[in-house]
Amino acid sequence: QVQVVESGGDQVQPGGSLRLACSSSRFTLANYAIGWFRRAPGKESEAVSCISTSDAAPYYSDSVKGRFSISKNNAQDTVYLQMNGLKPEDTGVYYCAAFPSRYCSEHAGNYDYWGQGTQVTVSS
């Protein structure tokens, strides 16, 4: 049963931008730590970014730092991942995940609820 839903994946050219969204019809995302993970073809799943319910600074992997930005819109109860300066190596399926904690984690095993993923393809 799907608990969170991702949207916004698309195919873009290198250097382009996309904004992914994560929402849930089953619970209030504002009460959950939210993480974005991606799986590239033939590679292990990678934590991209996460955001806490507390004021702790968001986490970004070194590969996306300075290009991606995570944010929460509590009024819309949606978490966004703004992706700028996209590169071919950013291609993959992006998953949103949630678990009830004040602090987010880059470890996938900590997350209880996962979406089905949205495809991001960066190609010319």
Side-chain angles (χ1 to χ4, degrees):
Q1 196 169 14
V2 176
Q3 306 284 354
V4 293
V5 179
E6 308 92 340
S7 62
D10 204 345
Q11 180 170 347
V12 295
Q13 293 187 345
S17 297
L18 282 175
R19 188 177 74 163
L20 305 183
C22 175
S23 61
S24 176
S25 61
R26 297 189 60 81
F27 49 80
T28 302
L29 287 186
N31 297 331
Y32 287 74
I34 304 296
W36 284 98
F37 295 79
R38 69 184 179 193
R39 183 184 296 276
K43 294 187 177 180
E44 296 281 329
S45 177
E46 173 191 15
V48 174
S49 180
C50 73
I51 189 165
S52 303
T53 61
S54 66
D55 291 333
Y59 162 84
Y60 298 99
S61 68
D62 288 342
S63 61
V64 307
K65 202 172 292 183
R67 299 187 297 123
F68 289 13
S69 177
I70 192 170
S71 62
K72 273 189 179 184
N73 184 319
N74 289 335
Q76 298 176 349
D77 202 31
T78 301
V79 174
Y80 295 102
L81 184 67
Q82 178 68 43
M83 307 187 297
N84 299 327
L86 283 162
K87 304 175 181 180
E89 51 264 43
D90 293 318
T91 294
V93 180
Y94 283 69
Y95 298 90
C96 175
F99 75 110
S101 173
R102 295 191 69 226
Y103 301 100
C104 73
S105 169
E106 65 264 39
H107 301 295
N110 287 332
Y111 289 82
D112 299 319
Y113 307 106
W114 291 80
Q116 293 185 325
T118 185
Q119 177 70 46
V120 172
T121 303
V122 185
S123 172
S124 55

